[in-house]
Amino acid sequence: MKALIAVLLVASAATAAFAHPGSGIVVDRRGTVYFADTGGGVWAIDPAGKLASRGGPRFHWMAIDESARPSGAPLPSIPGGEITPVGANPTLLLSSDVPIVVGPDGTLYYPELGRDGGLRIIGFTRSGVASVRATLPSKGLKWINGLAIAADGALYYTEDKAIRRVDPRGVVSTVAMNVAVPGCARIPGNEPGSEPYLRGLAVAPAGTIFVAASGCGAVLKVTPHGAITVVLRTTSPWSPTAVAFSASGLYVLEYVHTVEEDRRAWVPRVRKVLPNGSVISIASVQRPKAR
């Protein structure tokens, strides 16, 4: 019975995730940007700025494995969810229902509800060995919104209003909580009270965190000590859902957000915050008009 309850809780979390556009953007070592389009699969932007479809499933989250991931390497079986590889060198891992991230050694991390109903983060090695990296302390937490890894191996994850850190020993600490965004924009389709609805995040080498505040149409910069500033704002109904850090700037995945769950209406674009703070457009997906 406990196992059945855990599966039902994961399904409930998946339902909540499916009500929102995708949250996956990564940059490979050559400077190619990949992002997940919940209405159209995977897209790539080459260093010259050319946008091209890479196919793949229309899933929500994405991680990148730049090392030589063997073809047919095992992937975890997640209740109510699915992880699918796309391409090679790098391999993109697309996740239907939970945020994922890949460490430098190829270990895949993802959240999972335990038999006791508590949420934990699992590490899954390339050889298929699963272990519990951390049991998350937040009472009643059934899902997380984003997951990232830092250079020191620490994991970071987002809740609606908080950012937390999991050190290499599995100890969980709070980076920021009760986060509020001044001038929070009203984004269609977000549940009232969930603002700023923190989602995808990335960690710079020095430990600075960048996070999409999807419920407020903003991207936040968070220092290791918890100081918060706004580095990008959108105009509603555009909403940032994920970020990817590179030496040349910060890439931001944004979507047109709608009240209704309509994947084709969730049109994505990518913008970039340059080191000097200016924002430029990189690429926009154009949907074919209905006949």
Side-chain angles (χ1 to χ4, degrees):
M1 178 60 73
K2 288 184 178 179
L4 176 59
I5 292 173
V7 171
L8 290 174
L9 287 173
V10 171
S12 176
T15 300
F18 268 98
H20 296 278
S23 179
I25 185 169
V26 295
V27 186
D28 71 14
R29 61 171 62 97
R30 293 177 289 270
T32 299
V33 179
Y34 305 89
F35 63 93
D37 176 3
T38 321
V42 178
W43 294 88
I45 309 168
D46 70 17
K50 182 179 179 181
L51 178 68
S53 173
R54 289 297 178 90
R58 299 174 183 181
F59 284 174
H60 286 76
W61 283 276
M62 179 168 61
I64 186 169
D65 189 345
E66 292 219 55
S67 50
R69 187 176 187 87
S71 176
L75 289 170
S77 176
I78 300 176
E82 180 181 352
I83 296 177
T84 300
V86 174
N89 297 320
T91 299
L92 304 174
L93 297 176
L94 279 295
S95 172
S96 62
D97 290 88
V98 296
I100 57 175
V101 70
V102 174
D105 63 352
T107 298
L108 173 68
Y109 297 95
Y110 59 93
E112 178 183 86
L113 280 170
R115 292 181 178 274
D116 61 355
L119 193 63
R120 57 195 187 175
I121 294 180
I122 303 297
F124 189 89
T125 68
R126 282 211 181 123
S127 60
V129 177
S131 61
V132 177
R133 170 67 182 268
T135 298
L136 307 188
S138 299
K139 185 177 180 181
L141 186 67
K142 301 305 178 186
W143 60 82
I144 59 177
N145 302 331
L147 185 62
I149 192 165
D152 64 356
L155 296 172
Y156 291 77
Y157 65 91
T158 52
E159 301 171 17
D160 288 354
K161 303 175 187 290
I163 302 171
R164 306 198 195 272
R165 179 180 185 269
V166 182
D167 74 11
R169 298 171 299 160
V171 177
V172 181
S173 58
T174 299
V175 178
M177 65 183 301
N178 297 323
V179 175
V181 178
C184 178
R186 300 184 66 178
I187 305 297
N190 286 319
E191 293 184 9
S194 67
E195 300 89 353
Y197 188 43
L198 304 179
R199 293 192 70 190
L201 73 167
V203 186
T208 299
I209 302 161
F210 296 91
V211 60
S214 296
C216 288
V219 173
L220 309 180
K221 175 182 177 180
V222 185
T223 71
H225 303 292
I228 301 174
T229 55
V230 177
V231 297
L232 177 144
R233 291 187 187 272
T234 62
T235 300
S236 184
W238 286 101
S239 172
T241 62
V243 296
F245 181 82
S246 76
S248 65
L250 182 73
Y251 292 92
V252 181
L253 175 62
E254 303 173 356
Y255 275 87
V256 171
H257 212 292
T258 60
V259 174
E260 300 80 14
E261 183 178 349
D262 184 348
R263 296 188 177 207
R264 298 297 290 173
W266 291 338
V267 179
R269 71 182 181 189
V270 175
R271 293 198 292 166
K272 185 178 181 182
V273 182
L274 301 178
N276 65 6
S278 60
V279 179
I280 61 174
S281 295
I282 300 297
S284 298
V285 172
Q286 304 296 321
R287 298 275 192 243
K289 293 183 179 180
R291 296 181 178 178

